[in-house]
Amino acid sequence: MPVKKRTPWLEALYAAMPLCLSYIPVGLACGMLLQKAGFNILLTALLSMLVFSGGAQFLVVSMISVHASLVSTILMVFFLELRYALLGSSLSQFFKNEKRSFIALFSQSMNDENYAVNYLKYSTDPEWNRKKALYVNWFSMLSWTGSTIVGTLFGSVIHVDTELVHFALTAMFIFMFMMQLNNGLLLVTGLFSGGLAIIFMLLFKNTFGLILATLLASFAGYLVERSRKTVDTDNDGPDHYDLTGGEVHHE
């Protein structure tokens, strides 16, 4: 007897279920911290849907707790979320024939985790399509938003030390940095950025120092990587041939 084929939304839910369940504890914690920072249920829901990124929302809480300006907060979130340009470009091969309206809708609900699910499905499942991919995004966003809202409700009755915000954010970004650490240049760039951040924060007495440190360290790392590739290209110069047409190899 043939197995009954799942409907698109059910297949997407099945693929996204582990992701949705993993969001619950982190979303609850994020919602409680948002409540302590002054967010109500409506603002928490809007932030969770418009800025669908746990790292960005924890960053917003941290910036608010140190009384950072709105401009500094927006810029820090912008630089943090620049990675989505790379993630989106790798998925673009599957959306070549889609309308811009759909791409905009899909992009708004994409984050690191549902990107990984959809990329894996598109790469391994020939029947995976735009509808299923969008359902994965929406199910994961629904799980995250619901968890942060419940966390905000809990935050009004449970005491949470706001100092935990700094600890949680620092631990999270150290983990993210270590997960991406695959060569010495990244390590040096990260340490250089941290050192500049300390210096600029002491000089400017403002979170603008973090933005400036990020930009300078990233640009310096880019220049070093570019010069290294240029040297490698020069060393791999064109092959030389003798008068008889034979290839000459230089040891």
Side-chain angles (χ1 to χ4, degrees):
M1 182 177 179
V3 179
K4 186 178 180 180
K5 192 174 182 180
R6 296 190 185 98
T7 57
W9 72 267
L10 188 59
E11 188 173 351
L13 179 61
Y14 182 80
M17 185 57 67
L19 177 60
C20 294
L21 293 176
S22 69
Y23 278 157
I24 295 175
V26 184
L28 290 174
C30 184
M32 288 190 288
L33 293 177
L34 285 170
Q35 194 278 331
K36 298 303 178 184
F39 281 67
N40 56 30
I41 295 176
L42 179 60
L43 290 177
T44 296
L46 286 175
L47 182 65
S48 297
M49 290 187 291
L50 297 178
V51 186
F52 182 29
S53 169
Q57 288 180 236
F58 277 108
L59 178 60
V60 168
V61 176
S62 180
M63 298 292 283
I64 291 175
S65 66
V66 297
H67 307 290
S69 65
L70 179 62
V71 174
S72 296
T73 302
I74 292 175
L75 286 176
M76 289 298 292
V77 171
F78 172 76
F79 290 123
L80 175 65
E81 303 301 275
L82 275 178
R83 67 187 185 279
Y84 286 128
L86 299 177
L87 298 182
S89 64
S90 67
L91 272 181
S92 62
Q93 58 182 310
F94 306 113
F95 299 120
K96 293 180 179 179
N97 299 321
E98 301 296 342
K99 295 181 179 179
R100 291 186 178 180
S101 56
F102 172 80
I103 294 176
L105 184 64
F106 181 89
S107 301
Q108 187 276 328
S109 56
M110 187 188 78
N111 71 352
D112 300 85
E113 293 80 19
N114 58 39
Y115 155 81
V117 172
N118 279 320
Y119 190 88
L120 177 64
K121 283 293 186 179
Y122 268 116
S123 301
T124 59
D125 186 354
E127 296 185 358
W128 197 254
N129 55 43
R130 51 173 280 180
K131 183 179 292 185
K132 297 175 185 178
L134 188 60
Y135 278 143
V136 167
N137 284 14
W138 284 355
F139 283 134
S140 58
M141 186 167 65
L142 179 63
S143 174
W144 173 260
T145 303
S147 299
T148 56
I149 290 175
V150 174
T152 301
L153 291 173
F154 285 168
S156 60
V157 296
I158 299 176
H159 174 71
V160 179
D161 189 350
T162 54
E163 291 298 321
L164 291 175
V165 176
H166 305 290
F167 173 79
L169 187 69
T170 303
M172 181 181 66
F173 282 109
I174 289 176
F175 173 76
M176 292 174 63
F177 177 69
M178 295 304 296
M179 288 294 293
Q180 300 180 54
L181 190 61
N182 54 17
N183 59 59
L185 179 58
L186 283 177
L187 176 61
V188 173
T189 303
L191 295 175
F192 181 52
S193 177
L196 286 179
I198 294 174
I199 295 173
F200 290 153
M201 285 291 287
L202 293 174
L203 287 176
F204 298 117
K205 307 292 185 181
N206 192 283
T207 51
F208 175 75
L210 298 176
I211 300 173
L212 185 59
T214 302
L215 288 175
L216 291 179
S218 300
F219 185 65
Y222 165 75
L223 291 179
V224 172
E225 184 177 19
R226 183 177 179 181
S227 62
R228 180 189 296 177
K229 289 182 178 179
T230 302
V231 172
D232 292 340
T233 302
D234 293 339
N235 290 336
D236 296 333
D239 295 326
H240 300 281
Y241 296 87
D242 60 17
L243 295 178
T244 62
E247 186 176 351
V248 178
H249 298 280
H250 297 284
E251 300 295 337

